[in-house]
Amino acid sequence: MTESRVPRRRRFLVCEPRHFAVQYAINPWMSTGRPVDVVRALDQWQALVDTYRAHGHTVDTVAPVPGLPDMVFAANCAVVVEGRVFGSLFHAPERRPESVPFEAWFKTEGFEVQHPESVCEGEGDLVPAGRWILAGTGFRTTRAAHREVQEFFGVPVISLTLVDPYFYHLDTALFVLDDGTGMGDGNDGNIAYYPGAFSPGSREVLERLYPDAVIATREDALAFGLNSVSDGRHVFIAPEAGELAERLAARGYVPVPVDLSEFHKAGGGIKCCTQEIRESRS
């Protein structure tokens, strides 16, 4: 018998892919020889936004800037916890200018923003999960940034080492299904992840923290099945990740397929295009 899941309304920040293109190669998915269909990308992105709103979520937008083709990947711009914003300092020089319009947007909206001193790529590598933040390193975000994040938020940060270049960000290898109560009652929520993306020690950490996690195959991970967004009940997921969707459904989650395949050409998917704004619960 499956469990009954309860969704929680979320607030998301996105950026229209008006200037989306693959103009450089900074991960194994990217090839300047693969042209992007911008019209198709716009249609897919709009379908994602419409799907979020149809499920009761709030969606804000930041204006795209010419010359910043990866700005559509809004998750990389920052991580927001309890209404406080820790910004980004991208590893690739080509992406560093993206932090400026995102940080300006947050400041205009009245958020406190901290700019990192070390390389840090927002929710790409920093995944809030109840009482702690799961933090990826190995390809982009540095361990020094993990320490900065812990000092800024006062939340325990758990470092996880990524070892497969196809899963260069944590949000390509893991996502939070349910972030729990955060009340110290032992309900720390649950995750889905692909063990092969992590170092042996990091796999042991995840096994200890999440003994009931949903485990994905490499095939579903390569289909961007783990670059998903969950509201606690509905999981917005790549339609190609069929086996993972079945495993989620067996646990009582409701898979909501959304095709963002045009963005796979740049190594991104649903979560990459989605920044969650976690406001203060005062």
Side-chain angles (χ1 to χ4, degrees):
M1 183 177 180
T2 59
E3 299 180 53
S4 177
R5 306 289 179 183
V6 179
R8 178 171 64 83
R9 289 189 177 182
R10 313 288 174 125
R11 183 183 179 190
F12 298 131
L13 179 64
V14 299
C15 180
E16 181 187 21
R18 194 182 313 161
H19 309 296
F20 177 55
V22 179
Q23 297 178 349
Y24 42 78
I26 57 173
N27 66 56
W29 301 95
M30 301 179 83
S31 171
T32 55
R34 295 180 67 195
V36 167
D37 185 334
V38 177
V39 173
R40 185 166 185 253
L42 282 163
D43 288 343
Q44 290 181 345
W45 177 87
Q46 188 61 56
L48 176 66
V49 171
D50 292 344
T51 301
Y52 283 150
R53 288 175 173 158
H55 285 80
H57 304 301
T58 299
V59 181
D60 294 311
T61 59
V62 61
V65 175
L68 300 180
D70 281 339
M71 196 173 161
V72 63
F73 300 127
N76 304 154
C77 73
V79 60
V80 186
V81 177
E82 293 290 310
R84 303 175 73 202
V85 180
F86 192 86
S88 62
L89 177 59
F90 286 94
H91 179 267
E94 295 92 338
R95 295 199 66 186
R96 290 195 172 183
E98 293 176 35
S99 63
V100 176
F102 279 109
E103 289 184 13
W105 186 91
F106 280 114
K107 288 177 181 178
T108 299
E109 291 292 311
F111 289 91
E112 174 188 356
V113 179
Q114 175 75 20
H115 189 78
E117 296 179 2
S118 307
V119 170
C120 182
E121 300 204 351
E123 281 192 327
D125 277 322
L126 300 166
V127 179
R131 291 187 295 162
W132 47 64
I133 296 173
L134 302 176
T137 190
F139 296 102
R140 300 291 183 84
T141 300
T142 64
R143 288 185 180 273
H146 294 182
R147 293 191 290 271
E148 286 186 60
V149 168
Q150 182 166 281
E151 288 300 311
F152 179 67
F153 290 121
V155 174
V157 171
I158 298 169
S159 294
L160 301 167
T161 301
L162 298 163
V163 296
D164 187 326
Y166 280 93
F167 308 107
Y168 58 93
H169 271 157
L170 185 61
D171 71 359
T172 65
L174 174 154
F175 74 98
V176 172
L177 285 163
D178 176 1
D179 53 14
T181 63
M183 301 300 291
D185 58 2
N187 179 14
D188 293 315
N190 204 7
I191 65 169
Y193 72 102
Y194 167 54
F198 297 92
S199 68
S202 295
R203 289 199 298 270
E204 286 192 34
V205 169
L206 291 172
E207 288 167 5
R208 289 174 184 270
L209 293 179
Y210 301 101
D212 197 38
V214 177
I215 303 301
T217 64
R218 181 173 176 82
E219 291 72 24
D220 280 343
L222 288 171
F224 289 85
L226 292 168
N227 197 240
S228 296
V229 171
S230 172
D231 64 12
R233 174 175 170 79
H234 308 100
V235 178
F236 306 94
I237 188 170
E240 300 88 350
E243 186 174 343
L244 178 57
E246 291 178 3
R247 293 183 183 185
L248 293 170
R251 299 286 193 96
Y253 297 96
V254 179
V256 181
V258 184
D259 180 16
L260 256 63
S261 54
E262 199 63 24
F263 298 94
H264 297 180
K265 296 175 180 178
I270 293 170
K271 176 55 193 173
C272 288
C273 292
T274 310
Q275 165 69 227
E276 183 174 350
I277 302 175
R278 300 169 186 82
E279 299 181 82
S280 177
R281 298 179 182 178
S282 58

